[in-house]
């Protein structure tokens, strides 16, 4: 699944580049106001923090929610106590867009994450041009040289990279490039199977001073508590919030767990 998702993301980025050149996107990125400080917003505290996700669909479950107004949903997340907002911008399998990101960025005061299959500099630049404060970099999708290159570009543009891992080797690779925000995704991106205990098996490999993010397999307050007890500073929640119907209450219950 992952190679197909990456290939599609590259093809779509190439199509956008034909409409909006690298030079134009770079100019827009450099003209944006300063990115919000994600490391400060997500810093470890005595309570778990949540990145709440705007997510219309997924390859594993298909359509999840229409979300006609992503900005309104993001505002409800902020009201419910989220510390950052994640926006799926991949269109083929997740139903997202950069327009969703731009709308959310204008509606909330929280840091906003562009969640996509980022594999080239153009995508990083358009993330900043669209107002992203955080950019997802998936270690499994990148060789080490490109991972380091994109991580450096994210930092140069004043943003923060959420470096996503799935095993011990990938955690080491994330730390080797100096990642300050490291995620462990319970979902295998090749098979889309879930392992909620994966985070706990890798958490000790992420040193203090690096923010630990648990991703995926969250459907209840007990799941958030499970990740917190395993050492998560932050939990990223998507499907449970868009399918619940009352994201404010759901978020508050998750945070209280």
């Amino acid at each position: 699944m992952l190679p197909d998702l990456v290939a599609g993301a590259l093809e779509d980025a190439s199509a956008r580049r034909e409409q909006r050149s690298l030079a134009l996107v770079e100019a827009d990125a450099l003209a944006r106001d300063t990115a919000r400080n994600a490391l400060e917003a997500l810093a470890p505290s005595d309570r778990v923090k949540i990145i709440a996700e705007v997510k219309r669909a997924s390859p594993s479950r298909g359509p999840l929610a229409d979300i006609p107004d992503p900005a309104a949903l993001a505002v409800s997340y902020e009201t419910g106590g989220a510390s950052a907002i994640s926006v799926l911008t991949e269109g083929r399998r997740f139903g997202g867009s950069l327009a969703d990101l731009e709308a959310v960025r204008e509606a909330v005061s929280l840091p906003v994450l562009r969640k996509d299959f980022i594999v080239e500099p153009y995508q990083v630049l358009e993330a900043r041009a669209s107002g992203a404060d955080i950019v997802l970099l998936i270690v499994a999708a990148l060789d080490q040289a490109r991972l380091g290159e994109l991580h450096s570009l994210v930092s140069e543009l004043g943003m923060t990279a959420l470096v996503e891992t799935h095993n011990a080797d990938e955690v080491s690779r994330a730390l080797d490039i100096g990642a300050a925000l490291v995620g462990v995704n319970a979902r295998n991106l090749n098979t889309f199977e879930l392992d909620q205990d994966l985070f706990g098996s890798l958490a000790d490999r992420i040193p203090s001073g690096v923010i630990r993010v648990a991703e995926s397999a969250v459907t209840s307050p007990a799941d958030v508590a499970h990740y917190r007890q395993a050492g998560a500073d932050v939990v990223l929640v998507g499907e449970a919030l868009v399918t619940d119907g009352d994201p404010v209450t759901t978020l508050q219950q998750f945070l209280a767990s």
Side-chain angles (χ1 to χ4, degrees), residues 52-250:
E53 191 158 83
V54 177
K55 181 178 184 179
R56 291 191 174 88
S58 77
S60 60
R61 291 193 55 194
L64 298 170
D66 290 337
I67 312 181
D69 190 346
L73 178 59
V75 169
S76 72
Y77 289 162
E78 185 168 24
T79 301
S83 294
I85 309 295
S86 171
V87 181
L88 261 302
T89 62
E90 196 276 346
R92 298 186 181 208
R93 298 294 190 93
F94 292 90
S97 68
L98 286 167
D100 289 345
L101 176 67
E102 292 164 1
V104 168
R105 181 61 165 78
E106 294 304 314
V108 299
S109 61
L110 305 175
V112 177
L113 161 68
R114 180 186 184 185
K115 195 174 184 189
D116 208 321
F117 299 89
I118 306 295
V119 291
E120 63 169 32
Y122 181 85
Q123 295 169 291
V124 175
L125 288 165
E126 65 180 358
R128 181 83 280 266
S130 297
D133 309 292
I134 314 168
V135 175
L136 181 70
L137 298 179
I138 302 172
V139 175
L142 300 161
D143 63 37
Q144 194 66 5
R146 179 50 65 95
L147 177 63
E149 175 191 0
L150 295 179
H151 186 265
S152 294
L153 179 58
V154 168
S155 298
E156 289 168 11
L157 292 169
M159 297 183 291
T160 300
L162 170 56
V163 184
E164 180 177 291
T165 66
H166 301 83
N167 56 47
D169 177 65
E170 291 179 8
V171 170
S172 295
R173 290 178 57 195
L175 298 176
D176 284 346
I177 62 165
L181 185 64
V182 173
V184 175
N185 193 342
R187 188 178 300 280
N188 183 311
L189 292 182
N190 287 306
T191 66
F192 270 71
E193 295 176 348
L194 290 168
D195 178 4
Q196 196 182 60
D197 294 323
L198 181 64
F199 176 86
S201 72
L202 297 176
D204 287 346
R205 295 176 179 271
I206 304 172
S208 60
V210 176
I211 300 172
R212 303 168 179 173
V213 183
E215 305 174 47
S216 298
V218 177
T219 61
S220 69
D223 296 328
V224 177
H226 173 80
Y227 280 139
R228 180 62 168 175
Q229 289 163 7
D233 302 306
V234 182
V235 177
L236 191 150
V237 185
E239 294 180 15
L241 294 175
V242 299
T243 59
D244 177 80
D246 186 358
V248 174
T249 299
T250 302

Side-chain angles (χ1 to χ4, degrees), residues 10-33:
L10 274 171
E11 187 175 325
D12 292 344
S14 178
R16 290 193 300 272
R17 189 163 50 240
E18 290 183 3
Q19 301 297 318
R20 193 176 174 207
S21 71
L22 176 63
L24 282 176
V25 170
E26 183 173 16
D28 288 345
L30 295 175
R32 289 289 311 204
D33 53 339

